[in-house]
Amino acid sequence: MTESISKRLPQPHSKNSEMRTNLAREAVAELSDELLLLISDVFSLFLKTKNFHWHVTGPHFREYHLMLDEQADQIFAMTDVIAERARKMGASTVHSISDISRHQRLKDNNDEGLAPLRMFEELLSDNQQLTVFLRQLHEVCERHNDVATASLIEIWVDETERRAWFLSETLVDLRQPRTA
Ligand SMILES: [Fe+2]
């Protein structure tokens, strides 16, 4: 068990944790560890999508701006559900931006003046990577028979693949040679 998780789990004889789930303590340790990484990635991707929503420029500004806002809303909606899955197991979740930055696997991008092509390439790559993380967590859920988290992940994989679809179609358009 990692140090971060051992601090986030309830005490072995906590009445609260005994009441919340019949998952084994080892299962809760592994699942809450994975949920902590996932929520950190999701918050990071939410903020990057908002960052690009705010900073995107160009001839298709309105279309890109609105699409990224829609995607950011969908990503943000995941955060509360992930955090509450951890709490329902009796584990804790992220407390702050600094907590998120210690656990995120997806990278931030603080570049100024990023071209729309680069923004969409990076978001596509991040969403594809998120799908990999979600599928890996689904395997952990199946191993521990955590059907509740598994069912949520199935929806999030579908949503993430939809975002990737829209991003990849936008990239096809952006890569078309421009005619004067
Ligand atoms: Fe906005």
Side-chain angles (χ1 to χ4, degrees):
M1 190 184 304
T2 65
E3 187 189 355
S4 64
I5 290 310
S6 63
K7 286 181 189 162
R8 286 168 198 276
L9 282 172
Q11 294 305 304
H13 301 297
S14 155
K15 277 187 183 170
N16 282 345
S17 66
E18 284 167 12
M19 288 167 55
R20 290 180 199 181
T21 180
N22 56 4
L23 291 167
R25 187 173 166 79
E26 296 70 31
V28 172
E30 188 173 2
L31 287 161
S32 58
D33 199 355
E34 291 293 328
L35 286 171
L36 182 65
L37 298 174
L38 180 65
I39 196 171
S40 300
D41 286 327
V42 169
F43 266 121
S44 306
L45 183 56
F46 162 71
L47 195 51
K48 185 184 286 183
T49 305
K50 273 291 191 187
N51 165 18
F52 294 167
H53 158 77
W54 293 320
H55 292 101
V56 72
T57 56
H60 299 284
F61 166 77
R62 179 177 166 77
E63 182 188 330
Y64 298 158
H65 181 71
L66 294 178
M67 184 180 91
L68 294 176
D69 210 23
E70 183 186 310
Q71 295 205 355
D73 284 348
Q74 188 177 62
I75 296 163
F76 184 70
M78 294 173 65
T79 58
D80 191 56
V81 183
I82 298 168
E84 293 190 2
R85 280 306 304 152
R87 297 298 297 137
K88 285 168 192 169
M89 293 177 194
S92 71
T93 185
V94 287
H95 297 89
S96 64
I97 297 289
S98 58
D99 208 2
I100 289 166
S101 72
R102 280 194 297 274
H103 297 100
Q104 70 187 83
R105 292 164 293 188
L106 298 180
K107 300 276 183 288
D108 292 340
N109 189 328
N110 296 312
D111 288 359
E112 287 285 350
L114 206 61
L117 180 71
R118 287 290 305 118
M119 289 182 177
F120 286 104
E121 282 176 344
E122 187 160 329
L123 288 178
L124 175 60
S125 171
D126 284 355
N127 277 281
Q128 288 170 332
Q129 188 58 55
L130 183 63
T131 307
V132 172
F133 294 150
L134 286 166
R135 289 186 197 282
Q136 287 170 350
L137 179 51
H138 194 276
E139 287 175 15
V140 177
C141 293
E142 285 190 323
R143 189 152 32 83
H144 295 298
N145 199 26
D146 180 4
V147 294
T149 308
S151 68
L152 293 165
I153 288 171
E154 286 163 20
I155 294 165
W156 293 332
V157 168
D158 181 62
E159 290 179 351
T160 306
E161 288 182 343
R162 186 178 194 276
R163 290 193 301 275
W165 171 31
F166 276 65
L167 292 163
S168 67
E169 286 296 330
T170 304
L171 278 168
V172 170
D173 184 49
L174 275 165
R175 287 172 179 148
Q176 299 272 349
R178 302 273 163 215
T179 50

